[in-house]
Amino acid sequence: VGVGAYDRCRRAKLEKLVEGVEARGKKSMSAQPITLIRHLLTREKTAMPLEDFALVMERIVIVGKRIANELSHASIDGGLGYSGGTNVHGEEQKKLDEWTNQVFVEVFERGYPVCSLISEEMDEPMHYEHNCRGRSYAVIYDPLDGSSNSEVNGPVGSIFSIRQRAKQHGHE
């Protein structure tokens, strides 16, 4: 199945799920576990079409799971410490900074409707022309905020923002 067909199929499934949620009302959902996607589908209003938002958030969830898995054994596998590189702010990069950034890049490579990734770990934004059709978005993110805490088992997280791209935006 091609990427476009997969996206259309996934979007159709999400639209059907949204219709079902709206038809049943919010009260009937209280007996079911609340997942991130289920929570998003019950929201009254979002700044972007719900189907697009759900597709993007679904990929963010995948990123989060992969990062959590890596963090659970990074100290054993030699994944901690500095990589030798610097980010756009001139700060030394940790191995986990580079690895987590690569996770975002891989997950969103075929991640319609996101066609641009902007991170402090990259010198230039990553642009996926093949994802730029119809409505498209940019994800601006710090893949591992607090990475210095990773060596002492402290709190870390990913910070992101989703912004709609202008039509015919090109690589700007």
mmCIF file of all heavy atoms in Angstrom, residues 83-112:
data_model
loop_
_atom_site.group_PDB
_atom_site.id
_atom_site.type_symbol
_atom_site.label_atom_id
_atom_site.label_comp_id
_atom_site.label_asym_id
_atom_site.label_seq_id
_atom_site.Cartn_x
_atom_site.Cartn_y
_atom_site.Cartn_z
ATOM 1 N N SER A 83 28.626 13.942 22.334
ATOM 2 C CA SER A 83 28.900 13.380 21.008
ATOM 3 C C SER A 83 30.077 14.068 20.332
ATOM 4 O O SER A 83 30.629 13.535 19.384
ATOM 5 C CB SER A 83 27.663 13.529 20.127
ATOM 6 O OG SER A 83 27.413 14.902 19.878
ATOM 7 N N GLY A 84 30.409 15.265 20.777
ATOM 8 C CA GLY A 84 31.476 16.024 20.137
ATOM 9 C C GLY A 84 30.940 17.134 19.244
ATOM 10 O O GLY A 84 31.682 18.008 18.823
ATOM 11 N N GLY A 85 29.658 17.130 18.952
ATOM 12 C CA GLY A 85 29.052 18.158 18.113
ATOM 13 C C GLY A 85 28.490 19.300 18.942
ATOM 14 O O GLY A 85 28.465 19.248 20.179
ATOM 15 N N THR A 86 28.041 20.345 18.238
ATOM 16 C CA THR A 86 27.380 21.474 18.895
ATOM 17 C C THR A 86 26.072 21.757 18.164
ATOM 18 O O THR A 86 25.949 21.500 16.969
ATOM 19 C CB THR A 86 28.248 22.750 18.882
ATOM 20 O OG1 THR A 86 28.584 23.066 17.531
ATOM 21 C CG2 THR A 86 29.512 22.577 19.704
ATOM 22 N N ASN A 87 25.094 22.312 18.899
ATOM 23 C CA ASN A 87 23.823 22.653 18.259
ATOM 24 C C ASN A 87 23.860 24.097 17.762
ATOM 25 O O ASN A 87 24.898 24.767 17.848
ATOM 26 C CB ASN A 87 22.640 22.387 19.202
ATOM 27 C CG ASN A 87 22.629 23.284 20.425
ATOM 28 O OD1 ASN A 87 23.261 24.339 20.471
ATOM 29 N ND2 ASN A 87 21.888 22.876 21.430
ATOM 30 N N VAL A 88 22.743 24.602 17.267
ATOM 31 C CA VAL A 88 22.698 25.945 16.682
ATOM 32 C C VAL A 88 22.952 27.042 17.703
ATOM 33 O O VAL A 88 23.265 28.170 17.339
ATOM 34 C CB VAL A 88 21.362 26.213 15.946
ATOM 35 C CG1 VAL A 88 21.214 25.306 14.744
ATOM 36 C CG2 VAL A 88 20.180 26.073 16.884
ATOM 37 N N HIS A 89 22.833 26.731 18.994
ATOM 38 C CA HIS A 89 23.096 27.704 20.050
ATOM 39 C C HIS A 89 24.544 27.630 20.531
ATOM 40 O O HIS A 89 24.919 28.343 21.454
ATOM 41 C CB HIS A 89 22.161 27.474 21.241
ATOM 42 C CG HIS A 89 20.714 27.575 20.890
ATOM 43 N ND1 HIS A 89 20.128 28.732 20.438
ATOM 44 C CD2 HIS A 89 19.730 26.659 20.904
ATOM 45 C CE1 HIS A 89 18.860 28.517 20.193
ATOM 46 N NE2 HIS A 89 18.582 27.266 20.460
ATOM 47 N N GLY A 90 25.345 26.742 19.942
ATOM 48 C CA GLY A 90 26.723 26.584 20.341
ATOM 49 C C GLY A 90 26.911 25.692 21.560
ATOM 50 O O GLY A 90 28.012 25.600 22.099
ATOM 51 N N GLU A 91 25.855 25.022 21.987
ATOM 52 C CA GLU A 91 25.938 24.128 23.140
ATOM 53 C C GLU A 91 26.444 22.761 22.702
ATOM 54 O O GLU A 91 26.125 22.296 21.600
ATOM 55 C CB GLU A 91 24.541 23.959 23.783
ATOM 56 C CG GLU A 91 23.909 25.260 24.191
ATOM 57 C CD GLU A 91 22.414 25.123 24.464
ATOM 58 O OE1 GLU A 91 21.772 24.201 23.932
ATOM 59 O OE2 GLU A 91 21.895 25.984 25.203
ATOM 60 N N GLU A 92 27.220 22.113 23.577
ATOM 61 C CA GLU A 92 27.687 20.766 23.266
ATOM 62 C C GLU A 92 26.501 19.819 23.202
ATOM 63 O O GLU A 92 25.612 19.864 24.050
ATOM 64 C CB GLU A 92 28.668 20.275 24.332
ATOM 65 C CG GLU A 92 30.002 20.984 24.308
ATOM 66 C CD GLU A 92 30.954 20.395 25.330
ATOM 67 O OE1 GLU A 92 30.512 20.058 26.454
ATOM 68 O OE2 GLU A 92 32.133 20.261 24.995
ATOM 69 N N GLN A 93 26.505 18.966 22.184
ATOM 70 C CA GLN A 93 25.421 18.000 22.039
ATOM 71 C C GLN A 93 25.777 16.704 22.736
ATOM 72 O O GLN A 93 26.916 16.245 22.696
ATOM 73 C CB GLN A 93 25.160 17.693 20.568
ATOM 74 C CG GLN A 93 24.459 18.793 19.832
ATOM 75 C CD GLN A 93 24.254 18.428 18.378
ATOM 76 O OE1 GLN A 93 25.178 18.020 17.702
ATOM 77 N NE2 GLN A 93 23.033 18.605 17.900
ATOM 78 N N LYS A 94 24.766 16.125 23.335
ATOM 79 C CA LYS A 94 24.920 14.798 23.918
ATOM 80 C C LYS A 94 24.517 13.765 22.866
ATOM 81 O O LYS A 94 23.798 14.076 21.917
ATOM 82 C CB LYS A 94 24.038 14.662 25.156
ATOM 83 C CG LYS A 94 24.484 15.582 26.287
ATOM 84 C CD LYS A 94 23.928 15.056 27.579
ATOM 85 C CE LYS A 94 24.577 15.777 28.729
ATOM 86 N NZ LYS A 94 25.446 14.931 29.480
ATOM 87 N N LYS A 95 24.999 12.552 23.053
ATOM 88 C CA LYS A 95 24.642 11.479 22.129
ATOM 89 C C LYS A 95 23.131 11.324 22.045
ATOM 90 O O LYS A 95 22.572 11.114 20.968
ATOM 91 C CB LYS A 95 25.266 10.153 22.585
ATOM 92 C CG LYS A 95 26.779 10.116 22.504
ATOM 93 C CD LYS A 95 27.301 8.807 23.070
ATOM 94 C CE LYS A 95 28.809 8.814 23.171
ATOM 95 N NZ LYS A 95 29.313 7.580 23.816
ATOM 96 N N LEU A 96 22.467 11.428 23.199
ATOM 97 C CA LEU A 96 21.012 11.283 23.203
ATOM 98 C C LEU A 96 20.313 12.422 22.469
ATOM 99 O O LEU A 96 19.251 12.213 21.877
ATOM 100 C CB LEU A 96 20.482 11.173 24.634
ATOM 101 C CG LEU A 96 20.709 9.826 25.313
ATOM 102 C CD1 LEU A 96 20.307 9.898 26.787
ATOM 103 C CD2 LEU A 96 19.953 8.716 24.615
ATOM 104 N N ASP A 97 20.886 13.640 22.492
ATOM 105 C CA ASP A 97 20.307 14.758 21.729
ATOM 106 C C ASP A 97 20.262 14.399 20.244
ATOM 107 O O ASP A 97 19.238 14.572 19.582
ATOM 108 C CB ASP A 97 21.134 16.035 21.895
ATOM 109 C CG ASP A 97 21.001 16.680 23.257
ATOM 110 O OD1 ASP A 97 19.893 16.639 23.823
ATOM 111 O OD2 ASP A 97 22.011 17.214 23.749
ATOM 112 N N GLU A 98 21.372 13.917 19.738
ATOM 113 C CA GLU A 98 21.449 13.578 18.315
ATOM 114 C C GLU A 98 20.546 12.392 17.988
ATOM 115 O O GLU A 98 19.860 12.391 16.967
ATOM 116 C CB GLU A 98 22.890 13.279 17.919
ATOM 117 C CG GLU A 98 23.765 14.516 17.957
ATOM 118 C CD GLU A 98 25.202 14.241 17.581
ATOM 119 O OE1 GLU A 98 25.581 13.060 17.419
ATOM 120 O OE2 GLU A 98 25.955 15.213 17.441
ATOM 121 N N TRP A 99 20.550 11.384 18.855
ATOM 122 C CA TRP A 99 19.740 10.192 18.593
ATOM 123 C C TRP A 99 18.250 10.537 18.606
ATOM 124 O O TRP A 99 17.502 10.118 17.716
ATOM 125 C CB TRP A 99 20.048 9.083 19.612
ATOM 126 C CG TRP A 99 19.312 7.829 19.289
ATOM 127 C CD1 TRP A 99 19.704 6.844 18.432
ATOM 128 C CD2 TRP A 99 18.023 7.444 19.787
ATOM 129 N NE1 TRP A 99 18.743 5.869 18.377
ATOM 130 C CE2 TRP A 99 17.694 6.211 19.201
ATOM 131 C CE3 TRP A 99 17.124 8.019 20.673
ATOM 132 C CZ2 TRP A 99 16.515 5.541 19.465
ATOM 133 C CZ3 TRP A 99 15.939 7.357 20.937
ATOM 134 C CH2 TRP A 99 15.642 6.129 20.340
ATOM 135 N N THR A 100 17.800 11.303 19.615
ATOM 136 C CA THR A 100 16.375 11.632 19.696
ATOM 137 C C THR A 100 15.941 12.519 18.529
ATOM 138 O O THR A 100 14.826 12.379 18.026
ATOM 139 C CB THR A 100 16.018 12.304 21.042
ATOM 140 O OG1 THR A 100 16.858 13.446 21.239
ATOM 141 C CG2 THR A 100 16.173 11.336 22.198
ATOM 142 N N ASN A 101 16.819 13.401 18.079
ATOM 143 C CA ASN A 101 16.499 14.209 16.907
ATOM 144 C C ASN A 101 16.313 13.309 15.690
ATOM 145 O O ASN A 101 15.390 13.504 14.897
ATOM 146 C CB ASN A 101 17.595 15.245 16.643
ATOM 147 C CG ASN A 101 17.170 16.207 15.562
ATOM 148 O OD1 ASN A 101 16.257 17.001 15.758
ATOM 149 N ND2 ASN A 101 17.816 16.114 14.414
ATOM 150 N N GLN A 102 17.177 12.320 15.551
ATOM 151 C CA GLN A 102 17.076 11.388 14.427
ATOM 152 C C GLN A 102 15.762 10.605 14.478
ATOM 153 O O GLN A 102 15.176 10.298 13.442
ATOM 154 C CB GLN A 102 18.275 10.435 14.404
ATOM 155 C CG GLN A 102 18.359 9.598 13.145
ATOM 156 C CD GLN A 102 18.453 10.437 11.879
ATOM 157 O OE1 GLN A 102 19.067 11.493 11.838
ATOM 158 N NE2 GLN A 102 17.810 9.955 10.822
ATOM 159 N N VAL A 103 15.282 10.304 15.666
ATOM 160 C CA VAL A 103 13.994 9.613 15.806
ATOM 161 C C VAL A 103 12.877 10.474 15.217
ATOM 162 O O VAL A 103 12.040 9.990 14.451
ATOM 163 C CB VAL A 103 13.695 9.251 17.279
ATOM 164 C CG1 VAL A 103 12.263 8.761 17.446
ATOM 165 C CG2 VAL A 103 14.667 8.205 17.783
ATOM 166 N N PHE A 104 12.848 11.765 15.554
ATOM 167 C CA PHE A 104 11.844 12.666 14.978
ATOM 168 C C PHE A 104 11.946 12.658 13.451
ATOM 169 O O PHE A 104 10.932 12.556 12.757
ATOM 170 C CB PHE A 104 12.029 14.099 15.494
ATOM 171 C CG PHE A 104 11.271 14.415 16.739
ATOM 172 C CD1 PHE A 104 11.827 14.163 17.983
ATOM 173 C CD2 PHE A 104 10.011 14.986 16.686
ATOM 174 C CE1 PHE A 104 11.142 14.465 19.152
ATOM 175 C CE2 PHE A 104 9.309 15.300 17.842
ATOM 176 C CZ PHE A 104 9.878 15.040 19.081
ATOM 177 N N VAL A 105 13.163 12.775 12.927
ATOM 178 C CA VAL A 105 13.382 12.818 11.481
ATOM 179 C C VAL A 105 12.856 11.541 10.823
ATOM 180 O O VAL A 105 12.154 11.600 9.810
ATOM 181 C CB VAL A 105 14.882 13.037 11.171
ATOM 182 C CG1 VAL A 105 15.174 12.831 9.690
ATOM 183 C CG2 VAL A 105 15.317 14.430 11.625
ATOM 184 N N GLU A 106 13.162 10.389 11.397
ATOM 185 C CA GLU A 106 12.716 9.116 10.825
ATOM 186 C C GLU A 106 11.195 8.959 10.893
ATOM 187 O O GLU A 106 10.571 8.526 9.925
ATOM 188 C CB GLU A 106 13.377 7.947 11.557
ATOM 189 C CG GLU A 106 14.860 7.830 11.282
ATOM 190 C CD GLU A 106 15.548 6.824 12.199
ATOM 191 O OE1 GLU A 106 14.854 6.131 12.990
ATOM 192 O OE2 GLU A 106 16.773 6.733 12.133
ATOM 193 N N VAL A 107 10.603 9.279 12.024
ATOM 194 C CA VAL A 107 9.162 9.078 12.195
ATOM 195 C C VAL A 107 8.365 10.000 11.275
ATOM 196 O O VAL A 107 7.337 9.601 10.737
ATOM 197 C CB VAL A 107 8.746 9.266 13.671
ATOM 198 C CG1 VAL A 107 7.237 9.334 13.829
ATOM 199 C CG2 VAL A 107 9.313 8.134 14.522
ATOM 200 N N PHE A 108 8.842 11.222 11.066
ATOM 201 C CA PHE A 108 8.083 12.166 10.249
ATOM 202 C C PHE A 108 8.489 12.152 8.777
ATOM 203 O O PHE A 108 7.907 12.876 7.976
ATOM 204 C CB PHE A 108 8.196 13.582 10.820
ATOM 205 C CG PHE A 108 7.290 13.797 11.995
ATOM 206 C CD1 PHE A 108 7.787 13.737 13.285
ATOM 207 C CD2 PHE A 108 5.942 14.024 11.815
ATOM 208 C CE1 PHE A 108 6.957 13.914 14.371
ATOM 209 C CE2 PHE A 108 5.090 14.208 12.893
ATOM 210 C CZ PHE A 108 5.599 14.154 14.174
ATOM 211 N N GLU A 109 9.440 11.311 8.391
ATOM 212 C CA GLU A 109 9.863 11.262 6.991
ATOM 213 C C GLU A 109 8.682 10.981 6.064
ATOM 214 O O GLU A 109 8.540 11.578 5.011
ATOM 215 C CB GLU A 109 10.937 10.199 6.790
ATOM 216 C CG GLU A 109 11.461 10.157 5.380
ATOM 217 C CD GLU A 109 12.588 9.164 5.214
ATOM 218 O OE1 GLU A 109 12.866 8.386 6.135
ATOM 219 O OE2 GLU A 109 13.189 9.180 4.134
ATOM 220 N N ARG A 110 7.833 10.076 6.444
ATOM 221 C CA ARG A 110 6.608 9.781 5.695
ATOM 222 C C ARG A 110 5.404 10.182 6.529
ATOM 223 O O ARG A 110 4.391 9.505 6.538
ATOM 224 C CB ARG A 110 6.534 8.291 5.347
ATOM 225 C CG ARG A 110 7.618 7.833 4.429
ATOM 226 C CD ARG A 110 7.276 8.195 3.024
ATOM 227 N NE ARG A 110 8.347 7.780 2.126
ATOM 228 C CZ ARG A 110 8.560 8.341 0.972
ATOM 229 N NH1 ARG A 110 7.800 9.316 0.564
ATOM 230 N NH2 ARG A 110 9.538 7.929 0.215
ATOM 231 N N GLY A 111 5.529 11.304 7.233
ATOM 232 C CA GLY A 111 4.531 11.702 8.213
ATOM 233 C C GLY A 111 3.579 12.777 7.761
ATOM 234 O O GLY A 111 3.461 13.803 8.427
ATOM 235 N N TYR A 112 2.905 12.574 6.618
ATOM 236 C CA TYR A 112 1.891 13.528 6.201
ATOM 237 C C TYR A 112 0.916 13.714 7.352
ATOM 238 O O TYR A 112 0.550 12.748 8.005
ATOM 239 C CB TYR A 112 1.155 13.011 4.956
ATOM 240 C CG TYR A 112 0.004 13.886 4.557
ATOM 241 C CD1 TYR A 112 0.235 15.050 3.853
ATOM 242 C CD2 TYR A 112 -1.290 13.567 4.931
ATOM 243 C CE1 TYR A 112 -0.821 15.879 3.519
ATOM 244 C CE2 TYR A 112 -2.347 14.396 4.605
ATOM 245 C CZ TYR A 112 -2.108 15.547 3.898
ATOM 246 O OH TYR A 112 -3.140 16.371 3.580
#
